[in-house]
Amino acid sequence: MSETAGRTGGPHGEPHEARVIPISRGRSRSAHEPPRDRSDHEPPRDRSDHEPPRDRSDHEPPRDRSDHEPPRDRSDHEPRQDPGGGPYAPGDDHDLWGDGGDDGDRRLAELLAFLRRRLTGQYEVDEFGFDAELTDKVLLELIRPLYRHWFRVETVGAENVPGDSGALVVANHSGTIPVDALMLQVALHDDHPDRRAIRLLGADLVYRLPVLGHLSRKTGHTLACREDADRLLRKGELVGVFPEGFKGVGKPFSERYRLQRFGRGGFVASAIRAGVPIVPCAIVGAEEIYPKIGDLRFLARALGLPYLPITPLFPWFGPLGLVPLPSKWLIGFGEPIRTDEYAPGDADDPMLVFNLTDQVREVVQQQLNELRLRRGHAFPPFL
């Protein structure tokens, strides 16, 4: 067919020449041809990669976003999906791919590194056997729930304990089983501004026991003797002592919160020789965990123990009787008593040592009376 084969009339009836439209131009537009307006009734088509994005109508169904298209703002009312497919609200703790996952990976890496150091022996202990890493990462972690949630311990006056120098903490001793020593250790590690580690002086009976003696050395404690006390204080360590000894920890419940004799004042002599302050400490709450109402003396003597207590629960309930009662605890630290005004040779003056020992004892007894009034009932209602 020729280009002049078909004719039609114009507006006044004049004939004009008809054009043949190629099929290719009817189906696709040239890249240089400007885009034409789409009719409202025209069905949607695929957009070219070179065509600028158009505004989406409110009634237009959602489509897949192109990789090159910038992300759109999410509405505050639009629910977010977590990796499990459920709704996610801002601040949720179950974001598996957020900070929670990173924190879990970090903790796992720290645990593996700790175990590797333990197995290869790449850890440090001091001359007394103190293993700071094992104490912080394992032992204190085990007893911290008892401190925080069972006894609900509160500390008072922790700022009275020096943060970067040697000092001697003198505390009352009670509780039938010396749990108060462990709680004092956690209090100074967790609640002191400088997180201090206390080196407790223990009786020789503790270090004759195979397991307990080894753990005591690992956690920084040592034998209650003049040589060890002097060396620790001169190194700038925080040393703790319970001058009542077994007389205090094993006294009957009827004598609770009455201080026993403080011995011959050897701890005062060590503080004078080192020129460090003495910090009086009162612990309220330990008296009620194992109320001692009797003593199996014959069996205790046979086992080589200073006493074998009878409590309202032990030995009647067997192992359950060893669970401590959840009394409310307060640990208070008084103002330091200075010793640097004395010469080191004054530690050999028995009258001076006796008077200073009696002064410390009176201060601790006064603190106990004040903290008991402040605490109130030993077993307050659980909220």
Side-chain angles (χ1 to χ4, degrees):
M1 177 183 297
S2 67
E3 293 184 1
T4 59
R7 297 181 182 270
T8 181
H12 300 287
E14 295 90 359
H16 64 81
E17 184 177 356
R19 291 191 307 157
V20 177
I21 300 176
I23 296 178
S24 59
R25 291 189 60 186
R27 294 186 177 178
S28 63
R29 280 186 283 121
S30 172
H32 302 286
E33 183 180 351
R36 56 189 178 88
D37 294 334
R38 177 177 298 170
S39 172
D40 295 338
H41 303 285
E42 184 177 352
R45 58 179 178 79
D46 294 332
R47 225 192 305 156
S48 172
D49 294 338
H50 303 284
E51 182 179 352
R54 57 187 177 85
D55 294 334
R56 177 180 295 170
S57 172
D58 294 338
H59 303 286
E60 185 176 350
R63 58 179 177 79
D64 293 332
R65 254 192 291 162
S66 171
D67 295 336
H68 303 285
E69 182 179 351
R72 58 187 178 86
D73 294 334
R74 176 173 297 172
S75 171
D76 295 336
H77 303 285
E78 181 178 353
R80 181 176 166 188
Q81 299 292 325
D82 67 0
Y88 179 93
D92 280 355
D93 295 330
H94 64 276
D95 185 3
L96 301 178
W97 311 107
D99 295 337
D102 294 341
D103 186 64
D105 293 342
R106 179 183 59 81
R107 287 178 178 272
L108 179 59
E110 290 178 355
L111 175 61
L112 294 177
F114 171 78
L115 294 176
R116 182 171 60 251
R117 288 191 296 271
R118 293 285 117 185
L119 293 175
T120 59
Q122 297 178 352
Y123 57 90
E124 296 181 358
V125 297
D126 68 2
E127 56 184 311
F128 294 92
F130 177 41
D131 190 336
E133 184 184 42
L134 181 66
T135 302
D136 294 347
K137 302 292 186 182
V138 179
L139 300 179
L140 290 183
E141 289 289 339
L142 292 176
I143 61 178
R144 187 169 286 118
L146 198 66
Y147 178 89
R148 295 290 181 194
H149 307 297
W150 191 251
F151 296 136
R152 308 170 306 284
V153 183
E154 295 182 19
T155 57
V156 180
E159 65 278 1
N160 290 323
V161 180
D164 56 357
S165 60
L168 181 66
V169 177
V170 180
N172 62 303
H173 210 15
S174 61
T176 306
I177 296 178
V179 181
D180 52 357
L182 300 177
M183 297 300 104
L184 177 61
Q185 185 175 4
V186 180
L188 288 167
H189 181 276
D190 289 7
D191 298 336
H192 189 274
D194 295 291
R195 300 175 63 87
R196 297 216 64 179
I198 188 169
R199 316 293 293 271
L200 297 175
L201 303 178
D204 56 351
L205 174 63
V206 176
Y207 298 97
R208 290 203 303 264
L209 301 176
V211 177
L212 186 59
H214 179 70
L215 288 178
S216 297
R217 293 285 185 184
K218 284 290 187 180
T219 53
H221 312 322
T222 187
L223 186 65
C225 63
R226 169 180 172 175
E227 293 77 12
D228 286 358
D230 289 355
R231 286 162 61 194
L232 286 170
L233 290 173
R234 291 192 178 114
K235 287 177 57 179
E237 297 286 351
L238 184 64
V239 179
V241 63
F242 300 97
E244 294 177 279
F246 288 118
K247 299 187 303 294
V249 73
K251 63 177 176 287
F253 187 69
S254 59
E255 299 180 12
R256 60 190 180 280
Y257 299 115
R258 299 178 191 172
L259 290 180
Q260 304 297 305
R261 192 173 66 90
F262 266 23
R264 291 171 293 185
F267 65 93
V268 169
S270 294
I272 292 176
R273 282 190 293 267
V276 299
I278 298 174
V279 181
C281 174
I283 303 175
V284 170
E287 300 275 14
E288 293 88 6
I289 61 174
Y290 296 111
K292 182 183 175 184
I293 59 177
D295 194 351
L296 300 173
R297 297 183 179 179
F298 295 104
L299 186 56
R301 191 177 297 115
L303 296 175
L305 301 174
Y307 57 87
L308 190 61
I310 298 176
T311 72
L313 301 180
F314 182 83
W316 326 113
F317 289 87
L320 290 177
L322 298 177
V323 178
L325 298 179
S327 58
K328 172 65 180 175
W329 285 45
L330 290 179
I331 299 179
F333 301 94
E335 295 185 2
I337 300 173
R338 296 181 57 181
T339 64
D340 54 356
E341 56 188 13
Y342 304 107
D346 292 338
D348 299 325
D349 185 348
M351 287 303 299
L352 174 63
V353 171
F354 175 80
N355 290 334
L356 195 53
T357 301
D358 194 53
Q359 177 186 352
V360 174
R361 184 180 180 277
E362 290 180 357
V363 172
V364 175
Q365 183 65 69
Q366 183 180 358
Q367 286 181 272
L368 282 173
N369 297 336
E370 293 174 354
L371 287 181
R372 284 189 70 190
L373 291 175
R374 177 172 177 173
R375 180 197 64 173
H377 200 279
F379 301 97
F382 294 98
L383 301 179

